[in-house]
Amino acid sequence: MNISLEHAKQLDQEDPLSHYKSQFNLPEGVIYLDGNSLGTQPKASQGAVEKTLIQWRQELIKGWNQGWFDAPERLGNLMAPLIGAKEEEVLITDNITLNIYKLIGYITETQQPKRPVILSEGGNFPTDGYIAQGFCHFSEFEHRFFPEGSNLEDYLDDQVAVVIMSHVHYRTGVLRDMKVITEKVHQHGAEIIWDLAHSAGALAVDLAENSVNFAVGCTYKYLNGGPGSPGFLYVNKAHQDKGWQPLTGWHGHAAPFAFDLDYSPAVGITQFRTGTHSALIYSSLEASLQLWKEVDMQQLRQKSLQMTELFRSCVADVLLHHDIQDITPEPSKRGSQVSLINTEKGFAIVQALIARGVIGDYREPGLLRFGFTPLYLSYEDVWLAAQHFCDVVESGEYKKPEFQVRSSVT
Ligand SMILES: Cc1ncc(COP(=O)(O)O)c(C=O)c1O
């Protein structure tokens, strides 16, 4: 490798975010490059969950009036500054899939004049398209894809009601120009739902600055909420209280404990709730969001770009000699991941790295995905991970039979 370990250590010395690493529980001997799939555990999460367990034991149902019930709004307000939203514009609830469904229904119900088409990006994370198709299956709407990487404007006609798109693409890591795309969609009289799964907590997102009205995202990746921690949903204040969303559960009712038989939506962001949520996982997420309150997102972005560049530079020669393609976008168009492609050996290389404690992931077809999370990775970790990568590829270690076996989660 053309970059020395001393250089990486020097970068750590100068890193203003280095103190965050000690606030996470990281298993010994593991370099975790999969925080873009499931984030690691903040130390504070364990205590927070235990506290909720004790509260449950001691307070029983009274716990709902002691912070559990209003957690979706309270945590939404904690999260808001991370994505350029204001108070009462973000709700922590359900998951991305269900939140997209709610927003498609809400937008199409309130849009005038009515338009029949839901347009989503081909090549996006499939659930975004699946749920749009489900929505159309049970209504008169038509779902269409526009090809990934194509000029969206070619597909925006006066039939399109809603566009669904990811801010950072889950495979390639390409960061989209949110401002330009949102503006184009609005100019065509349509709305856009941004999926922030790979940008919330990975880089500074500014929904207000980019005139975004609707967005969704998750908290189990870069935001470290924990496995299955809830999604979030953003509706710009000016677009709230315009109609119904389609998943009309009792927690989104104007008076859930009046037990009226007829549905009437709650005021504001609360109408996007559905039913009972898990107090336990919300407490884990709240502990993590408290930690995020202090993070300087400009410093985070700078470190993310420096780490991805360090990794790429360290492995560049090996990629060249072993026919592995680096499709990571240029820095200004990059999320917080490095994306490499080799359809024949990609899967096995990732498995061999995992066996060495370097955890990345693999996505069909051929994609080796390495996520870089500035809060708990050091430059030394990045250098060591690159060293392991080079060893695994150059030695042919990945060819061992045990690295060819596929389990259900890759
Ligand atoms: C872009 C994107 N959208 C959605 C999801 C998953 O959605 P949900 O939170 O509903 O499981 C993922 C999961 O990795 C994703 O990468």
Side-chain angles (χ1 to χ4, degrees):
M1 289 204 308
N2 50 358
I3 296 169
S4 69
L5 179 57
E6 281 59 43
H7 175 68
K9 286 183 173 172
Q10 184 58 38
L11 292 174
D12 282 327
Q13 295 280 319
E14 296 157 8
D15 174 13
L17 301 175
S18 59
H19 60 287
Y20 282 106
K21 192 177 169 82
S22 65
Q23 299 192 41
F24 289 88
N25 283 319
L26 294 160
E28 212 35 59
V30 166
I31 300 176
Y32 195 63
L33 304 182
D34 213 6
N36 52 339
S37 238
L38 173 66
T40 55
Q41 186 184 97
K43 284 184 178 157
S45 291
Q46 192 175 339
V49 173
E50 276 166 10
K51 206 171 139 202
T52 305
L53 281 170
I54 292 167
Q55 202 182 5
W56 172 27
R57 192 174 71 221
Q58 293 178 342
E59 306 293 329
L60 294 164
I61 198 155
K62 288 184 283 176
W64 284 110
N65 281 326
Q66 296 170 352
W68 301 350
F69 192 75
D70 58 7
E73 289 81 6
R74 185 176 69 250
L75 272 60
N77 288 339
L78 259 180
M79 154 120 216
L82 279 176
I83 54 171
K86 294 193 273 298
E87 290 224 329
E88 299 175 8
E89 288 187 326
V90 180
L91 186 73
I92 306 283
T93 183
D94 297 320
N95 53 44
I96 291 180
T97 311
L98 293 178
N99 288 335
I100 290 178
Y101 190 89
K102 292 180 225 173
L103 287 182
I104 296 175
Y106 181 77
I107 294 166
T108 51
E109 211 232 346
T110 55
Q111 202 170 44
Q112 287 300 338
K114 300 273 177 225
R115 293 165 161 217
V117 173
I118 314 298
L119 187 63
S120 64
E121 186 183 24
N124 194 2
F125 191 86
T127 205
D128 295 28
Y130 295 164
I131 199 68
Q133 287 166 16
F135 182 86
C136 294
H137 187 80
F138 287 96
S139 66
E140 299 300 310
F141 286 88
E142 178 196 336
H143 174 254
R144 287 184 199 157
F145 281 120
F146 66 96
E148 182 185 338
S150 61
N151 180 10
L152 174 60
E153 258 187 316
D154 296 343
Y155 297 83
L156 286 173
D157 55 27
D158 61 6
Q159 302 292 289
V160 175
V162 183
V163 178
I164 304 158
M165 202 169 169
S166 280
H167 188 202
V168 170
H169 194 277
Y170 82 106
R171 282 178 59 80
T172 58
V174 174
L175 170 67
R176 274 61 189 270
D177 191 330
M178 186 180 255
K179 195 177 192 70
V180 168
I181 295 171
T182 304
E183 208 170 276
K184 274 189 191 145
V185 172
H186 288 170
Q187 275 164 7
H188 281 80
E191 262 307 342
I192 180 160
I193 302 170
W194 282 103
D195 180 339
L196 308 181
H198 291 269
S199 52
L203 45 102
V205 179
D206 198 336
L207 297 176
E209 165 68 19
N210 294 315
S211 308
V212 172
N213 296 326
F214 302 96
V216 294
C218 63
T219 61
Y220 47 73
K221 297 180 189 286
Y222 290 96
L223 293 171
N224 313 309
S229 71
F232 65 86
L233 171 150
Y234 159 86
V235 179
N236 180 295
K237 199 78 182 150
H239 289 260
Q240 294 179 9
D241 301 317
K242 302 279 188 208
W244 286 21
Q245 58 98 350
L247 298 181
T248 49
W250 71 300
H251 279 215
H253 191 279
F257 288 89
F259 299 106
D260 287 343
L261 290 185
D262 289 322
Y263 178 76
S264 163
V267 171
I269 199 75
T270 298
Q271 81 157 112
F272 293 94
R273 282 181 173 218
T274 52
T276 309
H277 54 271
S278 155
L280 287 171
I281 195 70
Y282 275 69
S283 56
S284 162
L285 174 60
E286 188 160 15
S288 180
L289 291 175
Q290 292 291 355
L291 187 155
W292 274 100
K293 270 198 332 199
E294 313 295 326
V295 177
D296 179 324
M297 295 306 283
Q298 303 312 324
Q299 288 177 349
L300 184 102
R301 176 66 171 157
Q302 206 187 349
K303 183 171 176 188
S304 151
L305 292 178
Q306 235 177 327
M307 286 196 305
T308 46
E309 277 312 275
L310 176 65
F311 186 82
R312 293 178 71 228
S313 307
C314 288
V315 300
D317 281 349
V318 169
L319 299 186
L320 203 64
H321 293 118
H322 292 267
D323 198 23
I324 302 168
Q325 204 191 342
D326 184 352
I327 61 157
T328 311
E330 63 179 85
S332 66
K333 297 197 174 119
R334 181 184 306 164
S336 198
Q337 73 183 53
V338 166
S339 305
L340 311 175
I341 298 235
N342 183 295
T343 44
E344 279 159 30
K345 49 196 175 200
F347 174 80
I349 292 171
V350 170
Q351 306 321 303
L353 281 170
I354 292 173
R356 283 175 171 236
V358 179
I359 305 181
D361 66 20
Y362 176 81
R363 292 288 175 265
E364 290 291 0
L367 184 84
L368 300 83
R369 221 173 48 147
F370 301 105
F372 290 83
T373 45
L375 293 193
Y376 51 81
L377 279 177
S378 65
Y379 291 97
E380 183 174 347
D381 290 334
V382 174
W383 189 91
L384 289 170
Q387 177 79 59
H388 280 294
F389 182 94
C390 295
D391 283 355
V392 159
V393 174
E394 285 190 309
S395 67
E397 188 173 307
Y398 66 89
K399 292 178 188 160
K400 289 183 180 172
E402 66 261 38
F403 300 137
Q404 322 305 315
V405 182
R406 298 191 178 229
S407 30
S408 48
V409 176
T410 58

